[in-house]
């Protein structure tokens, strides 16, 4: 069984199909725009978060290397003999002064320079329980800006000394806010207790490296974050140890999901509406490196791209509307008008003027064809209407014309019988032949008669002409009986006999001879009218006259009429020709097709 599938679009009008096409063209663009607005931002955030997570991990490793450098410097200083010699001992004051000066100079020499003229400065807070270095500065003295040695005893001991000593030589980061008597901002310091290498648990003092926050900020600046991006190094209590944007010591507010784990090290990321948080943490060091990236700055470039996409979408939408309007006006509107015209058209209705619009496309061809067909149909209807009117007028005229010959024919019959009764037999015969001429000429309105009837008409005419002229000419009839039933237009032989008399044998008396011959060939009937006239004849002029190439008014009217009626009835292959006769004279030859009268 053959499955017949139909196109559902064919049930819709062209206008509806065009609107559906417009929606199909526009919908993907708006769907893409919606997807770009709904999903592209989240995808970009996830990719950016992954990239900055790796960068955060590398940045923390770089900071750890910086701290390792500071730790190695401290280890070198702790093991230095000059530092170890600062243990309380006996001796001259001058020796202690010299030891202090050398140690102070040693610490200053290990300061590490940074960008902006700052440096990591090393300070040693030496334990002097017996106050043997009374000449040296104490923790309450004016703070030295380039590193150095301070001495403290149990009475002048800063509160953070015991905290550092409790770590038993382990170095760690600590925010220092009470170094010296001068007003200085808080600084992040790397602190470590110093013990005697020779006497074990004997305290030498505390070693402090300041400006660590500035050193770490240098490492932070190697990372390029979006505009207004922030980097923080915090402890596990979210207290800021170093920051790329602000002071230290404050507590950083983080999302609840940013809790550091108990792993040795790890990472966690949180994406909020306003920020992207990227965190790397180290449990042993109790430190976290946090990137705080504003999504607005991050997505600014994407917003520009989204704006371009939206602008392109709007331009595309407007362009589609313009194209739709163009096709609606140039394609759909003419088709609708054409459809309305074809549905409402009735033969004879006036064709709209839009048919003259100059269009070369398929729509224009269709419009011209339909309107042209309607116009031609109107012309045919009008021509047929006029033809019918003329035909009716001709029929009426023919009926009127038939009345007069009938009246004349009947009158001639009455005159013939009266002449015969009065003994005028010759006049009666002429009247009888004239009546016969008129009866055959009338032929009941027929255009075609048999050759037998046409020959009777010609014989009657010939008999009248022989009685008309005192001198006689002879007429011979050579007729093949097989041709008598063949149809022929009426009154075509008589004009040829008339020409043969007038232009051939008229003044030849008894020497004049006319022969009428009818013979049958394979598919033709040939009828010839020959005369033995002596006048010269221009046969080429006659041929041009028969072909209507010379229109001399009044000349050759009879033979042109015969030629035209034969060709109109049977075609251009048949008709009348003239040629000279052997021995002198002229031959007029008619060629007709072999037919049987209907």
């Amino acid at each position: 069984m053959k499955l017949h599938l139909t196109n559902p679009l064919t049930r819709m009008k062209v206008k509806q199909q065009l609107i559906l096409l417009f929606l199909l063209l526009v919908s993907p663009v708006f769907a893409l725009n919606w997807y770009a607005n709904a999903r592209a931002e989240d995808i970009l955030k996830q990719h950016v978060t992954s990239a900055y997570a790796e960068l955060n991990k590398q940045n923390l490793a770089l900071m750890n290397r910086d701290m390792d450098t500071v730790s190695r410097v401290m280890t070198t200083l702790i093991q230095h003999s000059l530092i170890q010699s600062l243990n309380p001992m006996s001796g001259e004051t001058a020796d202690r002064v010299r030891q202090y000066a050398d140690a102070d100079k040693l610490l200053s020499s290990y300061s590490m320079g940074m960008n902006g003229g700052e440096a990591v400065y090393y300070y040693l807070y030496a334990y002097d329980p017996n106050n043997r270095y009374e000449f040296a500065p104490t923790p309450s003295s004016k703070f030295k800006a380039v590193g150095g040695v301070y001495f403290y005893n149990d009475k002048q001991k800063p509160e953070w000394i015991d905290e550092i000593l409790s770590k038993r030589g382990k170095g760690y980061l600590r925010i220092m806010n009470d170094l010296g008597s001068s007003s200085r901002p808080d600084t992040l310091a790397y602190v470590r207790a110093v013990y005697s290498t020779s006497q074990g648990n004997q305290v030498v003092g505390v070693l402090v490296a300041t400006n660590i926050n500035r050193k770490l900020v240098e490492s932070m600046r190697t990372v390029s974050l979006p505009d207004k991006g922030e980097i923080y190094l915090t402890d596990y209590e979210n207290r800021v140890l170093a920051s790329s944007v602000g002071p230290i010591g404050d507590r950083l507010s983080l999302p609840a999901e940013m809790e550091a784990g108990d792993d040795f090290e790890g990472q966690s990321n949180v994406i909020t509406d306003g920020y992207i948080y990227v965190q790397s943490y180290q449990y042993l060091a109790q430190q976290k490196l946090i990137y705080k990236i504003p999504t607005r700055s991050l997505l600014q470039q994407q917003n520009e791209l989204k704006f371009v996409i939206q602008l392109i979408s709007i331009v595309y939408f407007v362009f589609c509307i313009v194209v739709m309007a163009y096709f609606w006006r140039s394609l759909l509107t003419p088709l609708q008008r054409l459809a309305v015209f074809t549905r409402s058209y009735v033969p004879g209705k006036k064709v709209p003027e839009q048919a003259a619009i100059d269009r070369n496309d398929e729509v224009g061809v269709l419009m011209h064809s339909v309107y042209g067909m309607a116009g031609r149909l109107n012309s045919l209807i009008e021509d047929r209407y006029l033809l019918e009117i003329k035909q009716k007028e001709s029929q009426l005229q023919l009926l009127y014309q038939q009345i007069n010959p009938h009246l004349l024919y009947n009158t001639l019959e009455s005159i013939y019988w009266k002449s015969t009764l009065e003994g005028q037999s010759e006049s009666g015969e002429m009247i009888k032949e004239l009546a016969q001429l008129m009866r055959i000429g009338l032929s009941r309105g027929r255009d075609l008669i048999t050759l037998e009837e046409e020959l009777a008409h010609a014989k009657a005419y010939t008999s009248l002409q022989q009685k008309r002229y005192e001198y006689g000419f002879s007429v011979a009839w050579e007729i093949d009986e097989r041709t008598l039933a063949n149809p022929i237009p009426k009154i075509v032989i008589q004009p040829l006999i008339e020409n043969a008399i007038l232009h051939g044998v008229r003044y030849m008396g008894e020497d004049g001879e006319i022969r009428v011959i009818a013979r049958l060939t394979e598919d033709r009937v040939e009828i010839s009218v020959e005369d033995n006239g002596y006048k010269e004849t221009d046969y080429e002029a006659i041929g041009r006259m028969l072909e209507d190439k010379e229109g001399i008014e009044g000349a050759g009217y009879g033979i042109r009429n015969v030629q035209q009626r034969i060709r109109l009835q049977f075609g251009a292959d048949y008709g009348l020709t003239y040629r000279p006769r052997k021995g002198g004279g002229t031959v007029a030859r008619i060629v007709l097709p072999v037919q049987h009268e209907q």
Side-chain angles (χ1 to χ4, degrees):
M1 181 178 180
K2 186 177 180 181
L3 182 62
H4 181 66
L5 299 177
T6 59
N7 185 1
L9 293 180
T10 56
R11 300 178 181 178
M12 304 170 61
K13 294 183 179 180
V14 177
K15 176 173 65 175
Q16 296 172 336
Q17 295 183 27
L18 199 59
I19 294 175
L20 179 60
L21 176 62
F22 172 76
L23 295 178
L24 291 177
L25 290 176
V26 173
S27 298
V29 176
F30 284 96
L32 178 62
N33 192 14
W34 172 83
Y35 180 81
N37 291 331
R39 293 290 303 157
E41 183 174 326
D42 294 337
I43 294 174
L44 179 62
K45 287 180 180 179
Q46 293 174 2
H47 284 288
V48 169
T49 301
S50 300
Y52 278 112
E54 183 64 27
L55 184 61
N56 182 283
K57 183 177 180 181
Q58 296 175 2
N59 197 191
L60 183 58
L62 179 62
M63 292 182 180
N64 288 333
R65 284 197 296 269
D66 292 338
M67 296 308 302
D68 288 341
T69 301
V70 174
S71 180
R72 286 194 298 270
V73 171
M74 279 193 170
T75 300
T76 301
L77 290 174
I78 291 172
Q79 294 175 354
H80 200 281
S81 59
L82 187 57
I83 300 299
Q84 291 293 324
S85 67
L86 291 179
N87 284 325
M89 67 177 183
S90 62
E92 298 295 333
T93 301
D95 294 332
R96 292 195 296 273
V97 171
R98 185 175 60 255
Q99 288 175 351
Y100 159 72
D102 292 341
D104 196 72
K105 184 177 181 181
L106 174 65
L107 291 174
S108 299
S109 67
Y110 272 92
S111 298
M112 294 184 297
M114 296 180 294
N115 294 332
E118 295 288 345
V120 174
Y121 299 115
Y122 293 90
Y123 298 89
L124 176 63
Y125 288 82
Y127 182 48
D128 183 19
N130 299 320
N131 200 22
R132 291 181 180 275
Y133 292 90
E134 69 278 359
F135 56 84
T138 64
S140 61
S141 301
K142 184 176 181 180
F143 187 74
K144 298 177 181 181
V146 292
V149 180
Y150 294 89
F151 291 88
Y152 71 92
N153 53 35
D154 294 331
K155 295 181 179 180
Q156 296 177 327
K157 180 174 62 175
E159 60 181 10
W160 41 266
I161 291 292
D162 290 337
E163 176 190 328
I164 297 173
L165 292 176
S166 66
K167 301 295 182 179
R168 303 301 297 174
K170 178 183 177 182
Y172 67 98
L173 293 174
R174 187 184 191 282
I175 296 175
M176 308 295 289
N177 51 17
D178 54 356
L179 294 178
S181 60
S182 61
S183 176
R184 289 180 57 83
D186 295 344
T187 181
L188 180 64
Y190 186 78
V191 297
R192 183 176 178 182
V194 181
Y195 291 91
S196 173
T197 58
S198 61
Q199 298 181 16
N201 292 332
Q202 185 175 351
V203 177
V204 175
V206 174
L207 196 58
V208 178
T210 62
N211 284 343
I212 296 300
N213 56 315
R214 297 182 182 273
K215 181 64 176 176
L216 296 178
V217 168
E218 276 194 347
S219 298
M220 294 177 180
R221 288 174 179 170
T222 61
V223 179
S224 178
L225 293 183
D227 187 27
K228 296 183 181 180
E230 302 172 1
I231 304 177
Y232 298 94
L233 180 68
T234 70
D235 57 18
Y236 266 41
E237 296 178 355
N238 295 333
R239 186 171 55 178
V240 177
L241 303 179
S243 172
S244 63
V245 294
I248 61 176
D250 298 334
R251 291 191 180 274
L252 181 64
S253 177
L254 296 175
E257 300 88 343
M258 291 291 290
E259 293 293 336
D262 296 335
D263 300 332
F264 176 74
E265 61 180 10
Q267 285 187 318
S268 62
N269 309 315
V270 174
I271 301 176
T272 65
D273 293 337
Y275 295 92
I276 297 176
Y277 294 91
V278 180
Q279 172 183 269
S280 296
Y281 58 86
Q282 293 178 337
Y283 180 75
L284 293 179
Q286 293 289 294
Q287 294 172 2
K288 300 186 294 184
L289 180 62
I290 300 170
Y291 289 172
K292 183 179 179 182
I293 305 170
T295 56
R296 182 175 182 181
S297 299
L298 175 65
L299 301 176
Q300 182 176 1
Q301 185 175 2
Q302 187 206 9
N303 291 334
E304 294 177 358
L305 180 60
K306 287 168 57 178
F307 174 75
V308 173
I309 293 176
Q310 292 174 353
L311 181 61
I312 292 175
S313 301
I314 294 174
V315 172
Y316 179 75
F317 180 76
V318 173
F319 173 75
C320 289
I321 291 178
V322 172
V323 172
M324 279 286 297
Y326 169 76
F327 279 103
W328 195 288
R329 181 178 178 84
S330 74
L331 179 63
L332 187 58
T333 301
L335 288 178
Q336 288 178 330
R337 292 176 180 172
L338 188 62
V340 171
F341 172 77
T342 54
R343 281 196 295 263
S344 61
Y345 175 76
V346 292
K349 180 180 179 180
K350 182 179 179 182
V351 178
E353 297 180 357
Q354 286 82 355
I357 296 177
D358 186 15
R359 295 184 60 146
N360 296 323
D361 57 357
E362 288 77 1
V363 176
V365 172
L366 180 61
M367 293 175 61
H368 282 293
S369 300
V370 173
Y371 289 139
M373 180 178 64
R376 290 190 297 273
L377 183 59
N378 289 347
S379 298
L380 290 175
I381 293 174
E382 183 178 358
D383 294 343
R384 181 177 178 83
Y385 177 72
L386 295 176
L387 183 61
E388 290 178 353
I389 293 177
K390 290 182 179 180
Q391 185 177 6
K392 292 182 180 298
E393 291 177 350
S394 300
Q395 290 175 351
L396 291 174
Q397 188 68 27
L398 180 61
L399 292 175
Y400 287 129
Q401 290 177 355
Q402 288 176 350
I403 293 175
N404 294 331
H406 273 289
L407 178 63
L408 182 59
Y409 170 74
N410 293 332
T411 304
L412 290 176
E413 284 290 332
S414 300
I415 297 174
Y416 164 71
W417 287 109
K418 181 175 177 59
S419 299
T420 302
L421 293 174
E422 291 178 352
Q424 299 178 1
S425 58
E426 185 175 358
S427 297
E429 288 296 325
M430 293 182 67
I431 293 172
K432 181 179 179 181
E433 290 172 351
L434 178 60
Q436 185 177 6
L437 279 176
M438 296 187 66
R439 185 178 68 253
I440 296 174
L442 184 61
S443 302
R444 301 178 182 175
R446 294 179 297 163
D447 293 327
L448 292 178
I449 59 176
T450 62
L451 180 59
E452 182 178 7
E453 293 174 318
E454 178 67 14
L455 289 174
H457 179 272
K459 288 178 180 180
Y461 173 77
T462 304
S463 177
L464 283 174
Q465 295 300 320
Q466 285 178 326
K467 292 174 182 179
R468 174 185 176 186
Y469 298 104
E470 297 178 357
Y471 46 86
F473 57 88
S474 62
V475 180
W477 304 86
E478 301 178 10
I479 308 300
D480 188 342
E481 293 183 356
R482 295 175 299 175
T483 64
L484 294 177
N486 203 78
I488 184 173
K490 61 184 178 183
I491 313 178
V492 295
I493 298 178
Q494 179 267 328
L496 306 183
I497 295 176
E498 182 180 0
N499 286 339
I501 296 173
L502 295 178
H503 304 291
V505 300
R506 181 175 182 179
Y507 298 109
M508 294 180 63
E510 296 180 354
D511 294 331
E513 181 182 4
I514 296 176
R515 297 178 61 199
V516 179
I517 304 171
R519 64 173 62 94
L520 180 67
T521 60
E522 292 181 357
D523 57 351
R524 295 185 177 186
V525 173
E526 296 182 359
I527 302 170
S528 301
V529 177
E530 302 180 0
D531 67 77
N532 61 347
Y534 58 89
K535 293 184 179 179
E536 294 184 1
T537 305
D538 189 352
Y539 297 104
E540 293 182 359
I542 295 175
R544 289 192 297 270
M545 185 186 303
L546 292 175
E547 297 298 332
D548 278 336
K549 293 183 179 178
E550 289 187 1
I552 302 175
E553 185 175 359
Y557 172 78
I559 60 176
R560 282 206 310 273
N561 180 275
V562 170
Q563 177 81 317
Q564 291 173 358
R565 286 193 291 124
I566 293 175
R567 288 191 172 180
L568 286 173
Q569 192 69 46
F570 301 113
D573 294 335
Y574 306 97
L576 172 64
T577 58
Y578 274 83
R579 63 178 176 80
R581 177 176 174 272
K582 291 182 179 181
T586 302
V587 177
R589 177 169 168 263
I590 295 175
V591 178
L592 301 175
V594 175
Q595 292 181 349
H596 297 286
E597 184 183 15
Q598 299 294 327

